[in-house]
Amino acid sequence: MMEFARTALRYVPDALLPGTRPKPVRGQHGHVGEPVSRIDGALKVGGAARFAAEVKLDGMLYAALVHSTIAKGRIASIETAAAEQAPGVALVMTHRNAPRMKAPKGMMDGGGVAGSSLPVMQDATVHWNGEAVALVLAETQEQADHAAALVRVAYDPAPALTDFSVARGKAKRPDSVLMEPAAVTIGDAEKALAKAPHRVDRRYTTPRHNHNAIELHAATVAWDGDTLILHDATQMLNGTAGTMAGVFGIQPEQVRVLSPFVGGGFGGKGLWTHQILAAAAARLAGRPVRIMLSREGVYRLVGGRTLTEQRVAIGADAEGRFTALIHEGVAAMTAHNNCPEQFTFPARHLYAAGSFRLEQTIAEMDMLANTFMRAPGESVGTFALECAIDELAETMAVDPIELRRRNEPERDPTSGNAFSSRHLTKAFDDGAARFGWDRRDPVPGRRREGEWRIGMGVATATYPYLRMPGNAARIRIDAHGHATVSTAGHEMGMGTATVQAQHAADRLGLPLDSVTFEYGDSALPAGAMAGGSQQTVATLAAVTAAAEALIKELLRIAGNDSPLAGLRLADVVAVDGGLAQAGDPTRHERYASILARAGRDAVEAEAKAPLPLEMLKYSMHSTGAQFAEVAVSDVTGEVRVRRLLGSFDCGRILNPKAAASQFRGGIIMGLGLALTEETLFDARTGRVMNPSLAEYHVPVHMDVPEIDVIWTDLPDPHAPMGARGIGEIGITGVGAAIANAVYNATGTRVRDLPITLDKLL
Amino acid sequence: MDLTVNGKPVSAEVDIRTSLLDLLREHLDLPGTKKGCNQGACGACTVLVDGVRINSCLALAVQYQGRSITTVEGLADGDTLHPLQAAFIEHDGFQCGYCTPGQLCSAVGMADELARGVPSYVTDVLAADTLSLTHDELRERMSGNLCRCGAHNGIVAAIAATYGADRPAVSA
């Protein structure tokens, strides 16, 4: 269906397609593009920003959980008497007394956003190792924790599929991969590969990862009759409200989700079982409930990135032009979620090739549902693809950047659509010059400083442009000319509040301090999910539409005595705190004046973002070049990353300060992916073995060098404000750039992440 | 029990199991100090006890009778931000803001340790009279404070701008 729409829309002029020609700011300029410091900065450095577990409600009880210790089977017996009699305990909830609830609608399942579509605590069935089997409520957290330790559970285990090496033998092709076909075949790639004068054919693996946002998942919930108030840490306010409403059999308007601050998300702050359990327990107990997962609890109840096993094979002619590009493999998933880790997506859009075979399959396992984690698919898919290109470049004795240049496509190589804007070659050129790529010795292992061998590596970064439909914004201007822009958006550190205020100020011709951006509350107009790197552009599109509606309304109420009398939307620009005729600044009236004459306290307008048809007509992707320099110890095999540079083509950059931090943040998560991060999963028991920040190693200060980030800043004519979204591309390509640098330093190819010491000794 | 928090005397009746972190967050309405792991691995709960940085999640509240605790809420001087807080904003030393209170308190304590000549793993001359805040010293000494958004460069820049050798001295 998507393929058909893409082909058909290719021939429809932009003027007829909503979304393809976003409206520029025409009056005031000056805020967008400036490195404005975060508007919420003072709250965060002062400790005054209130997160989900920091809302206090009268009569609130604290929750603690008991987790299953088997991967599959039934609860044979569950003894709760000791816990119920423990001091301070108000409720012990198990499947025996939990309220009847519908199973939550899962992500990609008709508007649902739950991480899994399994029913929550409805019967004695155990679905994964670590599932919550009991919840205790008590007056204090200490009392709840103690009582939870008194619950005794006996199980009847059933055979569970927890070994990936077994599960992969039963892998199957899904119907689709995030609404795209699971397999793309152009020509006969295997045949072309066999005939190619140059080829590489390799297998790569990537392990499970966990998001490990520093804020623990938490919720503070209360019922007011049949209305549920959920103070949550979420990147999907409206979806959570709708899905929770479905679980409890109430209307979406009866669930209010508030989440003004989110202590890191990266895909993990979604709707999992803990919010549902807390709301159920609050209903049973008749009192508000606070639940804050332990760090181990996060590993048991909130899914992470799944593992992948990938094959990349590339055939090239004598000049290095790809004649065959094969990227295939398998990822583990469950029967009750839909997150296939789309690792074949980069190869669908990055390189021209004479033939393609891109196919991924799913191996179902009995485990906690895996989920979306920063650049799902692209993060680990670029590891395999970009390492393989490096391997091919070496066999051909061609510089790896030059090899990529020779395969730069004119159009999207698999859909055939035009790129909306693509400057990957410039990103490579700019990055190579700044990084000093010409100083790289193409022969591995020759550069040495004492015990350290030094190497440089490069890889392509890529992440698609996305704009989901359905979000809206409201703008209200008061009698003083102050604007409040409202949408149920999310601030988990991307700089949402700051960047949206910058845009609204320019859009409305106001100084920055005359704009308030209101977000983090599902009662506001429907917001854009903070996922897929799309919240910023989706919100820009809605605010642009709302500003137009507002200006129309202002012109309507301005009346015949206004200097604006008779002017229509297309005639005016917003500037100097009001509206003016385009090209004639003398015909200007301030908002305060318009409202005063009309006798109004305020004027407001709400509008939806246009349908995102630009995504179907054009191939829209951000790209970039990642450069790494590493030192590898001969003695210990330790890898130290000395320098990193990311050179990105992501359209226009709206706030260079916040953008640089987003890019660096992604790159640092990529550094962890390359060298240290792995969620260890016991194939015998299906239990995560390192559920803590002491045993799952995220990069620390000493691991992180100063990271250089540059960008083309070339606006995408088909994206709102020319911007394509930057939240996830930073992590892509980093694993390969570091692995390629390690190879350049040592001559050892590590194709199985993470690149730990043992693999280099 | 009685103790001083951010310069003010406070009294509290606490469960002997209550951590200093939970005393602050749940009993004294000071949730600026964050809980990220509750097992001493992330540093989000870092506070200053008589000027020395500790992980408050690993400290039982009852052990701190009579001590003086400084949390992130106590760093500013009224409405005037501590220079380090201002530097965090200027250098974008945070994104989500959750590890930030711990990073701030840890950096204040770290600067004091350096001034007192406490060596670190990367200090070359352990008996040196004065230590300087090199890039490596700073990063090594701050490595107990995790940041998952990846604001490391901004955090290091903010601390260096506040406490670096070539910067004006700032009282901790």
Side-chain angles (χ1 to χ4, degrees), chain A residues 236-585:
Chain A
M236 41 195 81
L237 285 159
N238 298 108
T240 296
T243 309
M244 288 291 276
V247 169
F248 290 96
I250 54 180
Q251 296 302 308
E253 304 77 54
Q254 291 173 285
V255 181
R256 185 172 179 194
V257 185
L258 297 114
S259 190
F261 297 99
V262 181
F266 321 113
K269 291 274 169 65
L271 177 57
W272 296 89
T273 51
H274 64 281
Q275 296 106 318
I276 295 169
L277 290 169
R283 180 155 249 191
L284 273 189
R287 289 171 65 178
V289 166
R290 157 87 50 78
I291 189 164
M292 188 179 211
L293 300 185
S294 65
R295 181 54 64 178
E296 178 179 349
V298 176
Y299 280 83
R300 302 273 177 248
L301 297 185
V302 178
R305 191 195 307 283
T306 193
L307 77 170
T308 72
E309 192 177 284
Q310 308 176 44
R311 173 193 174 217
V312 179
I314 309 172
D317 66 16
E319 284 76 45
R321 285 188 299 264
F322 297 168
T323 55
L325 177 51
I326 297 166
H327 195 164
E328 63 177 342
V330 56
M333 208 171 80
T334 74
H336 47 88
N337 74 311
N338 190 357
C339 177
E341 199 71 30
Q342 62 275 26
F343 56 80
T344 62
F345 279 17
R348 299 176 186 211
H349 313 288
L350 274 181
Y351 302 108
S355 61
F356 288 89
R357 194 162 79 74
L358 313 170
E359 178 177 3
Q360 54 186 105
T361 58
I362 293 300
E364 280 181 6
M365 294 180 65
D366 292 310
M367 61 180 192
L368 167 62
N370 64 296
T371 197
F372 303 85
M373 176 168 160
R374 206 169 199 164
E378 281 79 8
S379 54
V380 291
T382 52
F383 168 68
L385 177 63
E386 296 298 308
C387 283
I389 290 178
D390 201 69
E391 299 200 42
L392 180 65
E394 204 205 9
T395 64
M396 296 186 66
V398 176
D399 180 88
I401 296 177
E402 175 57 25
L403 183 60
R404 290 177 174 92
R405 197 189 317 275
R406 290 180 194 175
N407 291 285
E408 175 68 13
E410 292 276 317
R411 308 178 74 78
D412 186 292
T414 54
S415 76
N417 277 352
F419 292 118
S420 60
S421 173
R422 174 161 158 138
H423 306 281
L424 175 58
T425 305
K426 176 173 167 52
F428 266 108
D429 290 345
D430 294 351
R434 191 163 166 118
F435 194 71
W437 181 251
D438 57 351
R439 295 201 300 272
R440 171 180 176 265
D441 187 333
V443 178
R446 280 208 303 219
R447 207 176 135 198
R448 176 179 286 278
E449 292 174 18
E451 75 173 75
W452 298 93
R453 285 178 289 171
I454 316 298
M456 288 163 74
V458 72
T460 300
T462 185
Y463 194 79
Y465 166 90
L466 179 65
R467 187 164 73 79
M468 296 179 201
N471 66 306
R474 181 175 66 226
I475 307 177
R476 178 179 194 271
I477 289 193
D478 69 16
H480 305 289
H482 187 97
T484 301
V485 180
S486 308
T487 185
H490 316 79
E491 174 62 276
M492 356 181 252
M494 310 83 87
T496 310
T498 311
V499 169
Q500 295 300 335
Q502 287 175 261
H503 170 248
D506 279 355
R507 181 69 62 182
L508 298 170
L510 291 169
L512 199 54
D513 60 8
S514 290
V515 176
T516 301
F517 182 70
E518 194 179 36
Y519 62 98
D521 182 347
S522 67
L524 300 173
M529 178 189 290
S533 298
Q534 63 107 35
Q535 177 175 252
T536 299
V537 290
T539 307
L540 291 175
V543 171
T544 300
E548 285 198 351
L550 182 80
I551 291 169
K552 278 188 197 165
E553 178 64 9
L554 285 162
L555 291 172
R556 192 185 68 74
I557 67 168
N560 290 332
D561 297 334
S562 167
L564 302 168
L567 296 180
R568 293 183 306 173
L569 175 67
D571 306 326
V572 298
V573 293
V575 65
D576 293 334
L579 301 176
Q581 182 176 10
D584 182 2

Side-chain angles (χ1 to χ4, degrees), chain A residues 135-198:
Chain A
L135 177 147
V136 177
L137 291 183
E139 300 294 335
T140 71
Q141 189 68 57
E142 292 83 0
Q143 291 169 335
D145 290 342
H146 172 66
L150 302 176
V151 175
R152 291 284 172 268
V153 189
Y155 300 95
D156 287 331
L161 184 45
T162 52
D163 186 340
F164 180 69
S165 67
V166 176
R168 63 190 288 281
K170 304 175 186 174
K172 58 189 182 189
R173 186 197 285 184
D175 295 337
S176 67
V177 174
L178 303 182
M179 294 189 291
E180 300 288 339
V184 173
T185 306
I186 299 173
D188 188 336
E190 295 291 354
K191 204 165 157 188
L193 178 72
K195 288 200 307 196
H198 302 283

Side-chain angles (χ1 to χ4, degrees), chain A residues 37-38 40-42 44-47 49-51 53-54 56 60 62 140-143 146 210-216 262-264 266 290 292 295 373-374 492-494 657-658 661-662 664-666 668-669 677 691-694 696 698-707, chain B residues 15 17-19 22 25-39 41-42 44 72-73 75 81 85-86 88-92 94-101 103-104 122 135-140 142-156:
Chain A
S37 291
R38 289 167 197 274
D40 54 3
K44 288 179 175 173
V45 301
R50 284 285 186 275
F51 293 81
E54 294 160 7
K56 260 202 163 155
M60 186 174 79
Y62 291 80
T140 71
Q141 189 68 57
E142 292 83 0
Q143 291 169 335
H146 172 66
N210 272 69
H211 309 82
N212 279 317
I214 303 297
E215 179 198 26
L216 295 162
V262 181
F266 321 113
R290 157 87 50 78
M292 188 179 211
R295 181 54 64 178
M373 176 168 160
R374 206 169 199 164
M492 356 181 252
M494 310 83 87
K657 186 182 273 195
S661 290
Q662 277 282 72
R664 287 196 180 101
I668 292 165
M669 208 174 272
E677 293 190 32
S692 82
L693 288 171
Y696 181 107
V698 304
V700 304
H701 281 293
M702 199 60 183
D703 299 323
V704 179
E706 283 195 39
I707 298 169
Chain B
D15 191 314
R17 298 169 295 191
T18 301
S19 67
D22 285 337
R25 285 174 64 84
E26 304 298 335
H27 299 269
L28 301 180
D29 198 25
L30 291 170
T33 306
K34 302 305 182 197
K35 186 182 282 188
C37 68
N38 219 24
Q39 52 189 181
C42 77
V72 68
E73 290 99 337
L75 291 180
L81 292 178
Q85 291 173 310
F88 263 61
I89 295 175
E90 173 59 26
H91 293 275
D92 217 27
F94 56 90
Q95 293 189 38
C96 77
Y98 199 80
C99 76
T100 314
Q103 303 275 358
L104 287 161
V122 299
H135 191 235
D136 277 0
E137 282 280 6
L138 199 172
R139 290 186 303 148
E140 167 63 21
M142 289 300 295
S143 282
N145 289 84
L146 304 182
C147 167
R148 189 55 161 166
C149 294
H152 303 78
N153 284 185
I155 293 167
V156 168

Side-chain angles (χ1 to χ4, degrees), chain A residues 45 61 74 95 137 163 268 313 388 401 456 538 606 610 654 679 721:
Chain A
V45 301
L61 293 164
R74 294 183 66 77
H95 68 276
L137 291 183
D163 186 340
I401 296 177
M456 288 163 74
E606 181 175 328
L654 305 170
T679 305
M721 295 302 288

Side-chain angles (χ1 to χ4, degrees), chain A residues 383 386-391 394 400 404 435 437 440-448 452-460 626-633 637-645 671 674-675 733-751 753 755 760:
Chain A
F383 168 68
E386 296 298 308
C387 283
I389 290 178
D390 201 69
E391 299 200 42
E394 204 205 9
R404 290 177 174 92
F435 194 71
W437 181 251
R440 171 180 176 265
D441 187 333
V443 178
R446 280 208 303 219
R447 207 176 135 198
R448 176 179 286 278
W452 298 93
R453 285 178 289 171
I454 316 298
M456 288 163 74
V458 72
T460 300
Q626 304 275 17
F627 293 83
E629 181 177 289
V630 303
V632 184
S633 168
E638 180 183 13
V639 178
R640 303 302 299 172
V641 176
R642 291 192 166 184
R643 292 197 298 141
L644 290 166
L645 180 147
L671 193 165
L675 298 181
V734 179
I738 290 174
N740 294 338
V742 167
Y743 176 76
N744 183 242
T746 64
T748 301
R749 269 293 165 197
V750 179
R751 301 187 183 89
L753 290 181
I755 306 169
L760 291 167

